[in-house]
Amino acid sequence: MRAGFEITNEMGSVQIDERFKNFCLLQKFNGNTTTAMDTFGGWIGSSISYSHPKNGSISPIFCAYSSQYVVAATNVNQDSNYWYFTVYSSGPVGTGFTIHIYDGHTPTPSNAGLQLLNGSGEITFDAARKYLRIEQLVNASPGMGFNTYDRVSGRAYAGIATRPIWSYALDQTTIGTTNYHRIRYQIVGVRGHDDLGGYVMGAFTVSVAYSTIPISPSLPPYKAGPVLIADVTHY
């Protein structure tokens, strides 16, 4: 910043700057998965899909949080009026979760508290808003096991995949007397907290396909990428 208002912390990181805007919480709601994913091979999982009206030109950020199972909000698509996304869970139908939607769209400002405006008169900070708080960045790999990451006791966390993180695995299995070629698709999700005040992240299967002839997918074997961990406590 060459001129204007800026607040930094003791580490020198910018916390508030009149030139910068941040994503703020636009909507929050609770839900439950309704659709069972393929359990033919013994896999347990569930999902539900949503649509979200467009409120601005910036792509929203979808966070899924659950205290029960590892969940992920992914498969984001759009048309002229809506964003579409799916919540996947490593647990059965009925898994409870909370969705947090962050966007650059500006909610109605408050009538009291600290506000910061830029040179164009746009509100770039409002103390009454709930801004996206990034706690950590973790590199996630498809096929990874469930790992616990300890953070701060009493806090709640949600995962944001910066890109689709998925993999597939090919193997063979016998069901009854029939030999099948099997393909399992996995994605990476996050459970919001554990007993130590952290979160659990890992890959889980979202679909299974079987064939009596060899399966040769045209997809690359996996996509890896970082996961942003957001602090959603009291949001």
Side-chain angles (χ1 to χ4, degrees):
M1 181 191 72
R2 296 184 178 181
F5 183 84
E6 183 179 83
I7 295 178
T8 59
N9 63 15
E10 68 275 11
M11 302 299 293
S13 299
V14 175
Q15 304 297 294
I16 302 174
D17 190 304
E18 67 173 31
R19 301 174 305 158
F20 298 158
K21 294 182 179 180
N22 197 356
F23 283 76
C24 58
L25 185 65
L26 184 65
Q27 184 181 0
K28 171 186 174 181
F29 63 89
N30 297 320
N32 299 85
T33 55
T34 58
T35 303
M37 295 190 297
D38 194 320
T39 59
F40 187 53
W43 304 101
I44 298 175
S46 55
S47 66
I48 187 171
S49 295
Y50 289 101
S51 61
H52 173 63
K54 287 188 172 180
N55 293 294
S57 60
I58 299 177
S59 174
I61 294 175
F62 301 99
C63 300
Y65 159 80
S66 174
S67 61
Q68 297 176 293
Y69 297 95
V70 169
V71 295
T74 186
N75 286 0
V76 179
N77 294 292
Q78 63 174 308
D79 58 23
S80 58
N81 297 310
Y82 291 92
W83 294 97
Y84 302 93
F85 65 100
T86 300
V87 178
Y88 292 100
S89 168
S90 62
V93 167
T95 295
F97 58 84
T98 301
I99 291 292
H100 300 261
I101 302 177
Y102 297 88
D103 204 324
H105 170 68
T106 304
T108 302
S110 61
N111 294 321
L114 175 66
Q115 291 182 346
L116 185 63
L117 284 70
N118 61 18
S120 300
E122 299 174 304
I123 297 175
T124 57
F125 177 81
D126 188 321
R129 293 176 182 162
K130 297 178 178 180
Y131 288 96
L132 177 61
R133 301 181 298 203
I134 301 300
E135 171 75 13
Q136 192 178 19
L137 185 149
V138 181
N139 288 319
S141 300
M144 64 184 294
F146 281 31
N147 299 311
T148 299
Y149 300 80
D150 293 333
R151 301 306 297 167
V152 180
S153 179
R155 309 297 291 182
Y157 302 98
I160 306 169
T162 58
R163 61 178 292 179
I165 301 171
W166 56 268
S167 67
Y168 66 75
L170 288 170
D171 59 15
Q172 294 185 354
T173 186
T174 300
I175 301 175
T177 59
T178 304
N179 294 323
Y180 289 92
H181 297 269
R182 178 173 60 183
I183 180 171
R184 303 190 306 272
Y185 290 89
Q186 291 189 323
I187 59 173
V188 172
V190 171
R191 191 179 77 207
H193 66 78
D194 61 19
D195 293 338
L196 299 177
Y199 61 92
V200 177
M201 184 170 69
F204 60 96
T205 299
V206 296
S207 67
V208 184
Y210 298 87
S211 174
T212 55
I213 60 175
I215 304 173
S216 299
S218 59
L219 299 172
Y222 64 87
K223 286 185 178 180
V227 173
L228 296 174
I229 303 300
D231 185 329
V232 296
T233 310
H234 304 311
Y235 274 18

